[in-house]
């Protein structure tokens, strides 16, 4: 569906555009989704961490990244135990409260809690609620073929919901759009590493996150314009510690927390919303297209605590992220009640200690609103590094 749903940034100064998109990312009513639906479009919501959005896009649907929100789960609370992470509850709350209306929902069994999300969602809504079973053993010689068949199974349901058949031409065009999107996001992160004073941590985060709620063609236009403007931004380099933030692969830290961290140090790399940057290379747009999508997931993808790949030990991957970004220290966080994140912290801390890389360890919750104590602790950590 060739419809522009959010052109408010055109003709505005850069700082105003970035501020407007921060407001858009924080808006729990998701106005871009409402505009898309008002124009006659259908929406596929997909839960963290990774989903092959190209397939939904090729069917003319809007792939919406379900990443929770700053909401009180007044409707959803009774559907979950109190000991579970917040993102499950607030994601369902978005739908139960009517803030987001979907035509299809897809989740993944990334942890013991999330594996039940599609079933709970499906008991409350009549539209298809599917589970995408990404390969548990990506080192198997059969994992690519298995995943290609999973994508084909999912594509059949998407075609039924969208009311159209996805042709190779449709999917190839969508792969091209998303290849461009990932290239622009890599360019954004290159800028973060090389000139982090040109864009604040929360600005970069919002610029990326808004892609999960916009048609990717529009997001690409926005990214191209902002990346063209940033080098001439009047900003001076400051004497700050370069930091890698690790722990934002699923539940997202509050935007105010990212802003607070970003004004105390330079966050030169992170795993925030890593699913939007999961594929590290262009997907070939010829041949077996679903097979190509499966191949890059297995062979050319990033890492997270919810993917098990013996070729990508999480502690070694974090060390590579730190070295590749020229970071001097790490902030390792985990969402409260997040078993995968908390388990990986043990390996992360051990590896950082062995390599004598300073580390600040903490936890967060998407709805937390008080940051004074955490801010003081981080500033003390950073000052100790600067004046050691």
């Amino acid at each position: 569906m060739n419809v522009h749903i959010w052109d408010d940034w055109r003709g505005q100064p850069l700082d105003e555009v970035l501020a407007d998109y921060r407001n858009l990312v924080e808006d729990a009513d998701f106005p871009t989704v409402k505009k898309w639906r008002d124009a006659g479009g259908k929406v596929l919501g997909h839960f963290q961490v990774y989903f092959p959005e190209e397939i939904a896009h090729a069917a003319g649907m809007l792939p919406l990244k379900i990443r929770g929100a700053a909401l009180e789960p007044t409707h959803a609370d009774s559907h979950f135990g109190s000991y579970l992470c917040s993102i499950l509850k607030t994601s369902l709350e978005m739908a139960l409260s009517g803030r987001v209306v979907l035509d299809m929902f897809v989740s993944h069994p990334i942890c013991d809690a999330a594996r039940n999300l599609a079933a709970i969602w499906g008991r409350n809504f009549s539209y298809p609620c599917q589970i995408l079973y990404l390969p548990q053993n990506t080192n198997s010689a059969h994992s690519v073929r298995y995943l290609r068949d999973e994508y084909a199974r999912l594509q059949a349901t998407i075609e039924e919901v969208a009311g159209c058949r996805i042709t190779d031409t449709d999917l190839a065009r969508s792969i091209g759009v998303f290849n461009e999107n990932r290239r622009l996001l890599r360019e954004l992160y290159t800028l973060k590493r090389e000139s982090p004073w040109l864009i604040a941590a929360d600005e970069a985060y919002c610029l990326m996150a808004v892609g999960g709620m916009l048609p990717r063609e529009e997001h690409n236009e926005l990214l191209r314009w902002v990346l063209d403007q940033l080098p001439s931004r009047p900003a001076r380099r400051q004497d700050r510690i370069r930091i890698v933030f690790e722990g934002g692969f699923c539940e997202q830290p509050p935007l105010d927390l990212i802003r607070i961290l970003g004004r105390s140090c330079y966050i030169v790399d992170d795993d925030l919303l890593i699913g939007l940057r999961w594929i590290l290379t262009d997907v070939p747009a010829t041949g077996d297209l679903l097979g190509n999508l499966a191949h890059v997931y297995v062979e050319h993808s990033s890492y997270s605590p919810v993917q098990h790949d013996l070729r990508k030990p999480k502690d070694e991957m974090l060390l590579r992220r730190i070295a590749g970004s020229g970071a001097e220290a790490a902030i390792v966080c985990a969402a409260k009640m997040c078993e995968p994140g908390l388990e990986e912290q043990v390996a992360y801390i051990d590896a950082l200690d062995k390599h004598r890389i300073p580390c600040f360890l903490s936890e967060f919750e998407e709805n937390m609103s008080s940051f004074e104590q955490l801010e003081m602790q981080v500033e003390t950590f950073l000052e100790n590094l600067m004046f050691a």
Side-chain angles (χ1 to χ4, degrees):
M1 193 173 76
N2 188 19
V3 175
H4 271 73
I5 62 172
W6 205 262
D7 287 332
D8 294 11
W9 61 274
R10 299 181 188 279
Q12 301 298 318
L14 176 61
D15 288 352
E16 289 186 18
V17 170
L18 294 174
D20 286 346
Y21 276 97
R22 176 190 171 108
N23 294 334
L24 186 60
V25 168
E26 289 189 300
D27 192 336
D29 289 328
F30 296 88
T32 59
V33 180
K34 286 183 169 61
K35 284 193 174 185
W36 177 265
R37 293 194 67 87
D38 288 345
K42 294 185 176 181
V43 182
L44 183 150
H46 58 93
F47 190 67
Q48 300 273 46
V49 171
Y50 171 75
F51 175 79
E53 295 176 299
E54 292 92 335
I55 302 174
H57 181 274
M61 300 182 74
L62 176 68
L64 172 65
K65 192 163 189 63
I66 303 295
R67 53 179 174 80
L71 299 171
E72 286 298 323
T74 53
H75 298 84
D77 219 14
S78 61
H79 296 269
F80 298 99
S82 59
Y83 51 87
L84 299 180
C85 59
S86 175
I87 186 175
L88 292 174
K89 301 174 186 178
T90 60
S91 293
L92 183 60
E93 180 70 23
M94 289 159 48
L96 292 176
S97 63
R99 288 178 169 87
V100 167
V101 178
L102 304 179
D103 298 280
M104 181 175 174
F105 176 70
V106 180
S107 71
H108 321 277
I110 58 174
C111 65
D112 286 344
R115 68 180 179 178
N116 296 312
L117 184 58
I120 294 172
W121 209 290
R123 286 199 292 267
N124 290 276
F125 298 98
S126 60
Y127 50 75
C129 297
Q130 294 274 334
I131 298 176
L132 171 61
Y133 291 98
L134 297 169
Q136 291 297 307
N137 180 13
T138 54
N139 304 124
S140 167
H142 306 286
S143 60
V144 172
R145 179 65 192 182
Y146 160 79
L147 184 57
R148 190 241 180 255
D149 291 344
E150 266 295 279
Y151 286 171
R153 176 185 67 81
L154 197 68
Q155 177 175 313
T157 304
I158 290 173
E159 289 175 332
E160 184 178 344
V161 171
C164 68
R165 178 177 171 272
I166 299 173
T167 66
D168 283 349
T169 300
D170 295 329
L171 188 52
R173 187 185 74 82
S174 294
I175 286 173
V177 170
F178 280 80
N179 281 343
E180 174 70 1
N181 188 253
R182 287 184 287 264
R183 184 192 68 77
L184 291 166
L185 289 176
R186 289 195 295 270
E187 187 176 336
L188 173 64
Y189 269 72
T190 297
L191 183 77
K192 277 175 52 116
R193 289 190 293 272
E194 296 179 353
S195 305
W197 53 90
L198 290 177
I199 185 165
D202 59 312
E203 292 174 336
Y205 175 83
C206 291
L207 191 57
M208 173 178 59
V210 76
M213 60 181 75
L214 281 176
R216 277 311 195 288
E217 295 88 341
E218 288 190 43
H219 192 221
N220 288 348
E221 283 188 70
L222 173 68
L223 285 170
R224 281 192 292 266
W225 182 81
V226 172
L227 288 168
D228 185 60
Q229 299 294 312
L230 283 174
S232 59
R233 197 178 196 186
R236 292 184 178 182
R237 181 175 184 171
Q238 298 181 13
D239 188 16
R240 296 185 185 179
I241 299 292
R242 295 170 62 90
I243 292 289
V244 159
F245 180 95
E246 190 80 11
F249 63 94
C250 185
E251 184 170 327
Q252 298 300 288
L255 197 49
D256 282 340
L257 176 57
I258 299 173
R259 178 181 57 82
I260 286 169
L261 295 176
R263 71 188 186 195
S264 302
C265 60
Y266 287 135
I267 300 178
V268 292
D269 207 348
D270 56 66
D271 66 342
L272 297 166
L273 290 174
I274 192 64
L276 295 176
R277 300 174 284 126
W278 187 256
I279 304 303
L280 302 177
T281 187
D282 281 355
V283 180
T286 57
D288 181 2
L289 301 180
L290 290 180
N292 295 344
L293 287 168
H295 176 79
V296 294
Y297 174 86
V298 173
E299 300 293 343
H300 302 289
S301 59
S302 188
Y303 70 98
S304 87
V306 297
Q307 187 202 48
H308 306 288
D309 190 331
L310 295 176
R311 300 166 298 177
K312 298 186 288 187
K314 311 304 184 299
D315 50 348
E316 291 184 16
M317 299 305 291
L318 174 57
L319 293 174
R320 289 186 199 178
R321 190 190 294 277
I322 292 170
S325 61
E328 302 162 83
I331 294 177
V332 178
C333 289
K336 290 182 178 180
M337 305 295 181
C338 176
E339 290 186 9
L342 290 168
E343 287 175 359
E344 289 299 335
Q345 280 191 344
V346 178
Y348 288 154
I349 299 305
D350 182 60
L352 294 170
D353 285 346
K354 287 179 179 177
H355 288 79
R356 304 180 69 84
I357 298 174
C359 172
F360 180 85
L361 186 67
S362 186
E363 65 178 7
F364 66 85
E365 190 173 30
E366 61 185 355
N367 282 328
M368 65 188 292
S369 57
S370 177
F371 307 98
E372 290 82 2
Q373 184 177 1
L374 180 59
E375 183 176 17
M376 184 179 300
Q377 292 171 343
V378 171
E379 288 179 352
T380 301
F381 168 71
L382 296 172
E383 287 174 3
N384 286 338
L385 296 181
M386 292 187 69
F387 301 111

